[in-house]
PDB file of all heavy atoms in Angstrom:
ATOM      1  N   TRP A  82     -84.947  34.520  14.218  1.00  0.00           N
ATOM      2  CA  TRP A  82     -84.844  34.983  15.609  1.00  0.00           C
ATOM      3  C   TRP A  82     -84.103  33.963  16.478  1.00  0.00           C
ATOM      4  O   TRP A  82     -83.199  34.331  17.234  1.00  0.00           O
ATOM      5  CB  TRP A  82     -86.232  35.258  16.135  1.00  0.00           C
ATOM      6  CG  TRP A  82     -86.361  35.444  17.633  1.00  0.00           C
ATOM      7  CD1 TRP A  82     -85.819  36.416  18.383  1.00  0.00           C
ATOM      8  CD2 TRP A  82     -87.096  34.607  18.529  1.00  0.00           C
ATOM      9  NE1 TRP A  82     -86.163  36.280  19.692  1.00  0.00           N
ATOM     10  CE2 TRP A  82     -86.947  35.160  19.812  1.00  0.00           C
ATOM     11  CE3 TRP A  82     -87.878  33.456  18.357  1.00  0.00           C
ATOM     12  CZ2 TRP A  82     -87.554  34.598  20.923  1.00  0.00           C
ATOM     13  CZ3 TRP A  82     -88.464  32.877  19.477  1.00  0.00           C
ATOM     14  CH2 TRP A  82     -88.317  33.477  20.751  1.00  0.00           C
ATOM     15  N   LYS A 225     -83.515  45.343  -0.876  1.00  0.00           N
ATOM     16  CA  LYS A 225     -83.464  43.931  -1.255  1.00  0.00           C
ATOM     17  C   LYS A 225     -82.073  43.311  -0.998  1.00  0.00           C
ATOM     18  O   LYS A 225     -81.947  42.099  -0.914  1.00  0.00           O
ATOM     19  CB  LYS A 225     -83.810  43.770  -2.735  1.00  0.00           C
ATOM     20  CG  LYS A 225     -82.781  44.326  -3.687  1.00  0.00           C
ATOM     21  CD  LYS A 225     -83.137  43.998  -5.143  1.00  0.00           C
ATOM     22  CE  LYS A 225     -82.152  44.714  -6.109  1.00  0.00           C
ATOM     23  NZ  LYS A 225     -80.743  44.411  -5.879  1.00  0.00           N
ATOM     24  N   LYS A 279     -59.082  44.295  31.157  1.00  0.00           N
ATOM     25  CA  LYS A 279     -60.042  43.720  32.103  1.00  0.00           C
ATOM     26  C   LYS A 279     -59.348  43.174  33.353  1.00  0.00           C
ATOM     27  O   LYS A 279     -58.220  42.671  33.273  1.00  0.00           O
ATOM     28  CB  LYS A 279     -60.824  42.566  31.422  1.00  0.00           C
ATOM     29  CG  LYS A 279     -61.967  43.100  30.555  1.00  0.00           C
ATOM     30  CD  LYS A 279     -62.614  41.971  29.779  1.00  0.00           C
ATOM     31  CE  LYS A 279     -61.731  41.559  28.607  1.00  0.00           C
ATOM     32  NZ  LYS A 279     -62.397  40.656  27.674  1.00  0.00           N
ATOM     33  N   GLN A 398     -82.971   9.665  33.757  1.00  0.00           N
ATOM     34  CA  GLN A 398     -83.828  10.767  33.272  1.00  0.00           C
ATOM     35  C   GLN A 398     -83.145  12.116  33.297  1.00  0.00           C
ATOM     36  O   GLN A 398     -83.771  13.157  33.132  1.00  0.00           O
ATOM     37  CB  GLN A 398     -85.115  10.812  34.079  1.00  0.00           C
ATOM     38  CG  GLN A 398     -85.957   9.542  33.943  1.00  0.00           C
ATOM     39  CD  GLN A 398     -87.198   9.607  34.790  1.00  0.00           C
ATOM     40  OE1 GLN A 398     -87.196  10.123  35.899  1.00  0.00           O
ATOM     41  NE2 GLN A 398     -88.313   9.096  34.240  1.00  0.00           N
ATOM     42  N   LEU A 411     -70.249  15.216  35.414  1.00  0.00           N
ATOM     43  CA  LEU A 411     -70.062  14.450  36.644  1.00  0.00           C
ATOM     44  C   LEU A 411     -71.114  13.347  36.772  1.00  0.00           C
ATOM     45  O   LEU A 411     -70.792  12.199  37.050  1.00  0.00           O
ATOM     46  CB  LEU A 411     -70.147  15.408  37.848  1.00  0.00           C
ATOM     47  CG  LEU A 411     -70.157  14.745  39.226  1.00  0.00           C
ATOM     48  CD1 LEU A 411     -68.779  14.181  39.529  1.00  0.00           C
ATOM     49  CD2 LEU A 411     -70.581  15.717  40.300  1.00  0.00           C
ATOM     50  N   LEU A 417     -72.516   6.049  33.876  1.00  0.00           N
ATOM     51  CA  LEU A 417     -71.721   5.080  33.150  1.00  0.00           C
ATOM     52  C   LEU A 417     -71.193   4.004  34.089  1.00  0.00           C
ATOM     53  O   LEU A 417     -71.243   2.813  33.813  1.00  0.00           O
ATOM     54  CB  LEU A 417     -70.548   5.769  32.440  1.00  0.00           C
ATOM     55  CG  LEU A 417     -70.954   6.660  31.265  1.00  0.00           C
ATOM     56  CD1 LEU A 417     -69.718   7.333  30.673  1.00  0.00           C
ATOM     57  CD2 LEU A 417     -71.659   5.828  30.190  1.00  0.00           C
TER      58      LEU A 417
END
Side-chain angles (χ1 to χ4, degrees):
Chain A
W82 167 65
K225 69 174 173 56
K279 279 173 285 191
Q398 297 179 322
L411 173 72
L417 290 177

